[in-house]
Amino acid sequence: MSRDTIAEIITSIRNADIVRKRVVQIASTNISESLVKILLREGFIEKVRKHLENNKSFLVLTLRHRRNKKNPYINSLNLKRISRPGLRIYSNYKRITRILGGMGIVILSTSRGIMTDREAREQKIGGEILCYIW
């Protein structure tokens, strides 16, 4: 039985955001590092550091929370897994959906690596739609 590492990453971040945890620890793989770089670059997380424990490498993420007068925190991160091991979803660059009219991002796995929908449209390449983030 294979593990869906992308779903585990998304679920860890989503759960930490729901319970208002500031720090999340996820396993460090090439896919998780690429995904976290995109989240950091797009401003969904504040900072990332690599942590080594018992010869295992982890990424420690600091989540970004928005403050509000009524509620101490607002969930600022919505993640949805699209393509999964049982059902792969592919799209060419012309048919990549826009999330919230371009305010959210779509993360794709392309032949040139993991990238956002904007980068894929600029380079005119499609790929597997991994997740939506808004």
Side-chain angles (χ1 to χ4, degrees), residues 21 24 46 52 56 64 66 71 106 133:
K21 275 184 76 175
V24 181
E46 277 185 29
L52 188 65
K56 292 184 181 180
R64 175 168 293 181
R66 291 184 297 185
N71 298 333
V106 178
I133 302 173

Side-chain angles (χ1 to χ4, degrees), residues 101-118:
M103 289 175 54
I105 61 171
V106 178
I107 297 181
L108 293 107
S109 176
T110 67
S111 59
R112 297 184 189 156
I114 296 177
M115 61 179 66
T116 65
D117 56 338
R118 282 179 242 126

